[in-house]
């Protein structure tokens, strides 16, 4: 029997590898909590061919962060908004670092109008 090609799925944080039950167990919560995160638009699980929710490692990291905030008393909607903003800030910082790493622009590369 041939083995399925796994490619880079083991290293892919976005690959939807976890069922709702497995995901809930991994982060110490319930499937209902994960569904609530979906309703709050924090994570949107992919669906298997049979219609079952599947979560990625990245989504589980967000869900675990939401659980921390909710456990500290933050309402779930607020926790989701906080996480979305944290994620956007992290992405903006990553982009800024990449731009800084490329070095300063030379005068010919800038999009400036002549004076």
């Amino acid at each position: 029997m041939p083995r399925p090609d796994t490619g880079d799925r083991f290293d892919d944080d976005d690959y939807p590898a976890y069922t709702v039950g497995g995901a809930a167990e991994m982060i110490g919560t319930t499937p209902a909590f994960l569904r609530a995160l979906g309703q709050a638009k924090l994570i949107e699980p992919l669906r298997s061919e049979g219609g079952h929710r599947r979560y990625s490692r990245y989504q589980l990291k967000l869900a675990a962060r939401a659980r921390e905030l909710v456990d500290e008393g933050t309402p779930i909607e607020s926790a989701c908004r906080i996480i979305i903003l944290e994620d956007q800030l992290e992405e903006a910082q990553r982009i800024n670092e990449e731009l800084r790493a490329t070095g300063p622009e030379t005068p010919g590369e800038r999009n400036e109008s002549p004076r």
Side-chain angles (χ1 to χ4, degrees), residues 34 37-45 55 58-60 62-63:
L34 292 173
L37 296 179
Q39 291 171 344
K41 307 287 187 221
L42 178 63
I43 56 177
E44 186 177 334
Y55 295 89
Y58 175 72
Q59 290 172 322
L60 293 184
L62 296 178

Side-chain angles (χ1 to χ4, degrees), residues 3-17:
R3 290 185 180 187
D5 178 26
T6 58
D8 294 326
R9 293 183 200 160
F10 291 116
D11 296 327
D12 185 355
D13 280 347
D14 295 319
Y15 182 73

Side-chain angles (χ1 to χ4, degrees), residues 14-60:
D14 295 319
Y15 182 73
Y18 303 96
T19 63
V20 68
E25 185 177 327
M26 285 181 72
I27 63 171
T29 190
T30 64
F33 181 79
L34 292 173
R35 286 191 296 274
L37 296 179
Q39 291 171 344
K41 307 287 187 221
L42 178 63
I43 56 177
E44 186 177 334
L46 293 174
R47 299 283 181 156
S48 68
E49 288 182 17
H52 300 283
R53 289 176 176 86
R54 304 287 290 193
Y55 295 89
S56 68
R57 286 190 306 203
Y58 175 72
Q59 290 172 322
L60 293 184

Side-chain angles (χ1 to χ4, degrees), residues 34-93:
L34 292 173
R35 286 191 296 274
L37 296 179
Q39 291 171 344
K41 307 287 187 221
L42 178 63
I43 56 177
E44 186 177 334
L46 293 174
R47 299 283 181 156
S48 68
E49 288 182 17
H52 300 283
R53 289 176 176 86
R54 304 287 290 193
Y55 295 89
S56 68
R57 286 190 306 203
Y58 175 72
Q59 290 172 322
L60 293 184
K61 289 175 188 176
L62 296 178
R65 175 72 176 126
R67 181 174 178 261
E68 288 173 11
L69 291 170
V70 169
D71 287 351
E72 292 170 1
T74 306
I76 194 164
E77 295 81 12
S78 299
C80 291
R81 185 66 182 141
I82 289 167
I83 294 164
I84 289 167
L85 291 170
E86 287 174 342
D87 198 48
Q88 289 173 343
L89 176 60
E90 186 178 310
E91 177 70 5
Q93 289 172 331

